[in-house]
Amino acid sequence: MADQSPVFNIQRVYLKEASLEQPNSPAILLEKDQPSVEISLGVNVDTIGEGAYEVSITATVTSKIKDRTVFLCECREAGIFEIRNVPQEQMGPILGIACPQVVYPYLRGNVADVIQRAGFPPVHLVEINFQSMYEQQQKAQQAQAQSAGAGNGGGEPQPPVTTQ
C-alpha cells in the first residue's frame, strides 16, 4: 500500500517576470517634488500537474509626480509546490497562506533590487499577513455567495488578492 502521509515540498521559487519603465525620463528625474508611491499585490494559483501547484504573487509599484509617472515596476515571483495527501478543506489555507508566505520574501527583495538598480531608492514592500488576507477573502466570498443565493461552487480554492 502506498504511503498516504501528507506531503508539502517546495520544488522551486523563481522570478517569473520583472519589468521597469521610466516613460518620462530623463526630464522627470530633475523634478524637485516628492513622488508618490502606489503598490498593488495579486496572488494567483495554478494547478500544473497532479499534486503540483504554481503560486505566484505580482507586485506593481507605481511612482508618480503629480500625474506623470516616474517609474512603473512590476515583478512576479512564483513557487512550485508539491502538495499531496492533504484533506481538501486544508488546501485553501495551504495555497492561500502557507505558499504565499514562502514566495513573498523573495518578491520583496527582487522589487527593491530592480528599483534600486534603476537608480531610485529601493521600495520595501510591507510585511503581509496572508492569514488575515485569506480570512477576509473567505468572508467576502461567503457574503457574495449568500447574497447571490448560491452555495459553494466547488473547484480550486482561490487565494487572496489585495491592493494597498
Side-chain angles (χ1 to χ4, degrees):
M1 183 166 183
D3 183 11
Q4 293 297 310
S5 298
V7 174
F8 178 85
N9 286 319
I10 303 164
Q11 298 295 327
R12 175 172 292 216
V13 176
Y14 56 99
L15 180 62
K16 187 165 185 157
E17 178 184 345
S19 67
L20 186 123
E21 300 172 19
Q22 295 184 48
N24 295 300
S25 292
I28 201 156
L29 300 176
L30 302 175
E31 290 281 336
K32 301 291 184 217
D33 293 337
Q34 277 296 104
S36 63
V37 176
E38 182 179 304
I39 301 168
S40 65
L41 294 174
V43 178
N44 189 54
V45 175
D46 290 313
T47 302
I48 56 174
E50 181 63 36
Y53 302 87
E54 180 190 60
V55 176
S56 62
I57 306 174
T58 303
T60 304
V61 181
T62 307
S63 177
K64 291 185 174 187
I65 294 177
K66 297 179 181 134
D67 63 341
R68 295 175 52 213
T69 300
V70 178
F71 68 82
L72 171 66
C73 176
E74 185 170 277
C75 289
R76 185 178 198 189
E77 192 78 24
I80 298 173
F81 298 88
E82 177 187 8
I83 307 169
R84 298 181 188 278
N85 306 323
V86 172
Q88 189 61 39
E89 66 271 8
Q90 292 179 11
M91 288 300 290
I94 290 171
L95 293 170
I97 301 168
C99 295
Q101 285 176 332
V102 169
V103 173
Y104 189 67
Y106 295 93
L107 175 67
R108 289 181 75 213
N110 282 326
V111 167
D113 189 50
V114 167
I115 292 170
Q116 188 171 18
R117 288 178 183 268
F120 300 100
V123 172
H124 297 286
L125 302 177
V126 298
E127 289 290 333
I128 299 292
N129 181 336
F130 286 101
Q131 180 171 349
S132 174
M133 209 162 80
Y134 177 78
E135 289 169 357
Q136 287 175 359
Q137 184 226 13
Q138 293 303 301
K139 287 178 187 174
Q141 283 180 348
Q142 288 172 355
Q144 185 179 22
Q146 288 174 348
S147 67
N152 183 358
E156 290 281 324
Q158 294 301 310
V161 175
T162 188
T163 302
Q164 294 182 341

